[in-house]
Amino acid sequence: MKENVFDILDGRGFIKQTVFKDDLYKLLGEQSVTFYCGFDPTADSLHIGHVIPLMAASIMQKAGHKPILLVGGGTAMVGDPSNRNDMRQMMTKETIAHNVEKIRKQLERFVSFEGKNAAVIVNNADWLCNLNYIDFLRDYGAYLSVNKMLTADCFKTRLEKGLSFLEFNYMPMQAYDFLRLFTDYGCALEIGGNDQWSNILAGADFIRRVAHKDAYALTCTLLETKDGKKMGKTQKGALWLDPNRTSPYDMYQFFRNVDDDEVENCLRLLTFLELEEIKALCAHRDERINAAKKRLAYEVVTIIHGKSEAEKAKSQAEAAFEGGGAEMQVVHIEANTDTSIVDVMVAVKVASSKSEARRLIEGGGVKVADKKVERVDCKIGEFTNANEFVLCKGKKTRLKVTY
């Protein structure tokens, strides 16, 4: 008997919250279900946190269900108030359109657009931007409870600071998205990150009230550390899927160096490896866990950037830290022997500012050409006259600098 995809997702740790669980479980086991997941184009790239629902969508499609990936060109004009202390900066229509096109290409790496359950990408600007406000109020206003909306988690923080009417419209807009996809595509389920629970639940409830038909909500666990902090932040900022924002090598190094306790969870959520193999890789918490970290890093980069980039990143890491591989990561900068090491660190982005570079040097964590940098005013020429050298920051950052 074919395994229910609900059990697959649950076994890998994806499922955080759902409603009408028994009915949804039965539905997923009996027929192909059309579902959707939304992404607002607030930047021109998705980040590693978005990969969790995308992986869930990929697993569901492989189990025979049909994904709709919604890019929020319309909702981005309002801005989601969830987990915000202040109102989002308004973006121009041109910026939003640019971000939509960039994100579309990233979404295409996770699902297939061929076959009987081929994925579909839609943009909610297609219906929201032409929505008649009076008609919307008359047709649907009675189905939206203000009292219920104000109890939602996504509004709590903003209510304390001052919730604008602009932001208040976000939840009805997202609920309407679900209704449109239900009507146009037969979409019966919305999935997303658990921080979107209030919005997703509102959409499922909206369909049940308006159409008197069943609709379902399911949220995925967020990518977090064991102590509940969001995972995927570095000194350079978020781990972006755009290689121009976060290089495949930096992505590889991040997951190569995750804490031992995070490896198994990341392998379950961010790779397609079988659970038995993951269990075997993570069976030990000594130096053998490094093999699991390398496999995690390789698989993540392969999914996001392709096998060739994963092989390159792996080779660069081995050259830098194990004396193997073809070549470590190389960064070229405009410099000369009189250029300060502080300026070099900022130029190659191992430090976000000169003040951070100075702190790292004062802390004794910087080496140039295997020599410790003792002073913040040191220059390249004090370590080498060659036009290339190896720069090390701590134990986890090692790269070749050319100039």
Side-chain angles (χ1 to χ4, degrees):
M1 184 177 177
K2 186 178 180 181
E3 187 176 8
N4 192 307
V5 73
F6 193 100
D7 290 327
I8 297 174
L9 293 173
D10 199 28
R12 299 187 75 95
F14 278 95
I15 298 176
K16 190 70 174 180
Q17 296 188 82
T18 187
V19 287
F20 306 106
K21 177 181 175 181
D22 293 342
D23 291 342
L24 176 59
Y25 186 92
K26 183 179 179 182
L27 184 68
L28 290 170
E30 292 180 345
Q31 65 186 67
S32 176
V33 174
T34 299
F35 66 97
Y36 98 93
C37 186
F39 305 88
D40 274 352
T42 53
D44 63 0
S45 174
L46 300 175
H47 56 70
I48 196 67
H50 293 120
V51 173
I52 302 294
L54 284 171
M55 290 292 289
S58 181
I59 290 170
M60 289 186 67
Q61 185 181 37
K62 290 173 182 176
H65 305 287
K66 181 181 178 65
I68 300 173
L69 302 181
L70 182 147
V71 183
T75 40
M77 294 183 185
V78 172
D80 183 5
S82 301
N83 302 304
R84 297 285 298 186
N85 291 317
D86 55 3
M87 197 168 79
R88 293 181 185 273
Q89 290 293 111
M90 297 296 289
M91 297 185 296
T92 66
K93 292 182 179 180
E94 291 75 19
T95 297
I96 292 172
H98 169 76
N99 292 351
V100 165
E101 289 309 308
K102 295 275 285 187
I103 288 174
R104 278 181 188 270
K105 297 174 183 177
Q106 295 173 351
L107 294 173
E108 291 170 358
R109 297 201 65 90
F110 293 89
V111 293
S112 172
F113 292 85
E114 299 178 354
K116 63 180 181 180
N117 64 331
V120 176
I121 294 180
V122 298
N123 185 346
N124 63 13
D126 292 343
W127 54 80
L128 291 179
C129 290
N130 296 316
L131 193 63
N132 183 289
Y133 191 59
I134 297 298
D135 288 344
F136 178 81
L137 290 177
R138 287 176 60 84
D139 292 341
Y140 305 112
Y143 300 102
L144 296 162
S145 168
V146 172
N147 288 351
K148 193 170 185 178
M149 289 171 63
L150 290 176
T151 64
D153 290 339
C154 65
F155 288 140
K156 284 183 178 178
T157 302
R158 296 295 296 120
L159 277 170
E160 295 172 2
K161 300 286 185 178
L163 178 70
S164 72
F165 182 69
L166 176 71
E167 297 168 288
F168 189 69
N169 279 269
Y170 186 88
M171 185 182 286
M173 290 170 67
Q174 187 165 323
Y176 183 71
D177 285 344
F178 199 172
L179 179 63
R180 280 298 299 259
L181 296 179
F182 174 84
T183 303
D184 296 348
Y185 295 90
C187 179
L189 168 66
E190 181 180 359
I191 69 171
N194 196 52
D195 55 347
Q196 288 294 307
W197 173 244
S198 296
N199 289 325
I200 294 173
L201 187 60
D205 183 65
F206 188 59
I207 290 173
R208 287 172 176 263
R209 288 172 175 270
V210 174
H212 305 290
K213 297 288 181 65
D214 293 337
Y216 302 92
L218 185 153
T219 58
C220 301
T221 186
L222 302 179
L223 190 61
E224 296 177 331
T225 60
K226 292 293 184 181
D227 57 2
K229 295 180 180 178
K230 277 194 175 182
M231 190 175 175
K233 295 287 186 180
T234 70
Q235 65 177 20
K236 300 176 185 178
L239 280 177
W240 299 99
L241 305 196
D242 185 339
N244 295 315
R245 282 176 169 254
T246 299
S247 71
Y249 176 80
D250 287 340
M251 182 77 73
Y252 183 97
Q253 282 298 97
F254 178 88
F255 287 103
R256 169 63 182 86
N257 292 302
V258 297
D259 291 342
D260 294 356
D261 291 338
E262 315 295 344
V263 180
E264 186 169 359
N265 189 48
C266 287
L267 282 167
R268 289 170 179 266
L269 296 173
L270 298 173
T271 79
F272 296 112
L273 297 183
E274 296 294 336
L275 293 179
E276 293 78 10
E277 184 176 2
I278 293 172
K279 185 176 180 180
L281 281 167
C282 300
H284 305 282
R285 286 294 188 269
D286 51 24
E287 70 280 354
R288 286 171 285 186
I289 196 68
N290 287 318
K293 293 182 181 183
K294 291 178 185 178
R295 186 65 183 278
L296 168 65
Y298 181 84
E299 295 293 333
V300 171
V301 176
T302 298
I303 290 169
I304 295 172
H305 297 294
K307 187 173 181 179
S308 62
E309 289 293 343
E311 292 286 354
K312 181 180 176 182
K314 177 184 176 184
S315 181
Q316 289 174 336
E318 290 175 347
F321 298 100
E322 301 175 23
E327 185 64 74
M328 73 173 68
Q329 185 188 26
V330 179
V331 179
H332 182 79
I333 61 173
E334 295 295 326
N336 55 58
T337 54
D338 289 327
T339 301
S340 71
I341 302 303
V342 167
D343 287 339
V344 171
M345 293 173 66
V346 174
V348 301
K349 299 181 180 179
V350 300
S352 59
S353 64
K354 290 185 179 182
S355 59
E356 183 186 359
R358 294 187 190 101
R359 286 195 300 270
L360 290 167
I361 291 172
E362 290 169 348
V366 181
K367 290 184 178 180
V368 171
D370 287 329
K371 301 172 186 175
K372 187 175 180 180
V373 181
E374 302 282 0
R375 309 184 327 274
V376 295
D377 60 348
C378 284
K379 295 178 170 52
I380 293 174
E382 297 178 46
F383 300 90
T384 178
N385 289 316
N387 63 354
E388 64 178 44
F389 58 88
V390 175
L391 173 68
C392 301
K393 185 194 76 173
K395 296 179 180 180
K396 297 180 179 179
T397 301
R398 184 178 175 89
L399 55 88
K400 182 182 290 185
V401 180
T402 65
Y403 64 95

